[in-house]
Amino acid sequence: MKFDAVIFDLDGVICSTDEYHYKAWKTMADGMGIPFDRTVNNRLRGVSRMASLEIILEKYKGPALSPEQKEDLAREKNDLYRESLREMSTADLPEEVKETLDALRGKGLKLAIGSSSKNTPFILGQIGLGNYFDAVSDGNNITRSKPDPEVFVKAAEMLGIPADRCLVVEDAVSGAEAGHRGGMMVACVGDAAKNGAGDWNMESIRELTEIVKG
Ligand code: B16
Ligand code: MG
């Protein structure tokens, strides 16, 4: 086997919360009169909540905002976002994802999460993977957001597996860069795959079962 562990990004890889993020940011931005569309939204993939807010505020023309006002805006967005997350269930875990996870585990690989999201534990619980992973590294245990490699380096440390034996799975260009900067190989889906950001750019996550064999 080419790898001993696979570290999965959450949003956009294991489940699809992108649309919920978009709608919540859109409501906040509309309320402030800030132009916000899907092109700007694409830049928020894998980026932390506060860094996402700063990207959205690039188009804000009003009076300067204090750190407290920014915290309030981020909280407003997160409250809206979490309302959508409450509707999530095991039906939001795609079959191809669950089958791939089980197949990789069946090959003896360790499985971890490496996500920028502070909502990771809540989302995993909603989709029925609350106790599934061998390690969960997320927005609650990092100080630097992707493309910094911290979240993946911590996941590998939690597993006790060297970086070059870990494969990262990502949907964000910033996340693929984070994996590479952490000394890991990266398999991409979605937006990152379209941009050719990975060592493998997959059409389906099922391809992982072949990739890990080497
Ligand atoms: P939260 P990932 C990332 O998750 C999302 O892609 C990104 O859009 C979001 O801003 C970030 O989590 C922070 O999320 O507000 O829930 O802490 O793709 O790294 O799993
Ligand atoms: Mg993602």
Side-chain angles (χ1 to χ4, degrees):
M1 203 73 68
K2 192 171 168 60
F3 299 101
D4 296 324
V6 185
I7 307 173
F8 293 87
D9 171 56
L10 180 61
D11 295 334
V13 171
I14 299 290
C15 61
S16 197
T17 47
D18 332 27
E19 195 60 21
Y20 301 147
H21 276 296
Y22 174 70
K23 285 190 177 139
W25 281 128
K26 178 80 179 140
T27 303
M28 187 227 77
D30 285 352
M32 298 280 292
I34 305 169
F36 178 67
D37 57 20
R38 288 180 191 275
T39 311
V40 180
N41 189 58
N42 243 342
R43 292 172 57 204
L44 311 184
R45 279 179 211 284
V47 176
S48 74
R49 197 179 308 160
M50 292 312 285
S52 297
L53 177 65
E54 290 299 340
I55 291 172
I56 293 167
L57 289 177
E58 285 170 10
K59 294 201 173 146
Y60 171 68
K61 300 273 186 269
L65 297 169
S66 66
E68 292 73 27
Q69 285 172 309
K70 289 183 182 178
E71 289 287 346
D72 285 347
L73 290 172
R75 195 172 312 113
E76 181 195 326
K77 180 267 174 177
N78 194 50
D79 289 347
L80 289 168
Y81 176 58
R82 282 183 69 100
E83 263 175 48
S84 318
L85 295 182
R86 285 219 302 270
E87 305 297 316
M88 287 185 94
S89 70
T90 51
D92 291 291
L93 176 62
E95 224 168 73
E96 62 166 1
V97 173
K98 186 61 171 59
E99 286 172 8
T100 302
L101 290 170
D102 289 344
L104 295 172
R105 175 156 286 161
K107 290 177 189 290
L109 287 148
K110 294 276 185 209
L111 306 179
I113 289 287
S115 167
S116 302
S117 176
K118 292 187 172 174
N119 291 300
T120 294
F122 186 50
I123 297 169
L124 289 177
Q126 292 296 89
I127 60 176
L129 294 182
N131 293 309
Y132 187 87
F133 290 94
D134 300 298
V136 175
S137 173
D138 63 27
N140 300 296
N141 68 298
I142 54 168
T143 52
R144 297 178 302 277
S145 171
K146 300 168 187 176
D148 188 284
E150 185 180 14
V151 74
F152 294 129
V153 170
K154 289 229 164 113
E157 278 171 11
M158 286 177 190
L159 294 171
I161 294 180
D164 63 355
R165 299 292 301 166
C166 295
L167 174 68
V168 163
V169 186
E170 261 293 347
D171 72 309
V173 174
S174 62
E177 185 184 334
H180 284 141
R181 282 169 58 182
M184 299 164 194
M185 295 192 88
V186 181
C188 289
V189 291
D191 188 63
K194 278 186 211 113
N195 282 287
D199 300 288
W200 295 271
N201 296 294
M202 306 181 287
E203 277 180 20
S204 160
I205 198 162
R206 288 190 196 277
E207 292 168 45
L208 284 177
T209 53
E210 288 300 315
I211 292 170
V212 294
K213 285 186 196 161

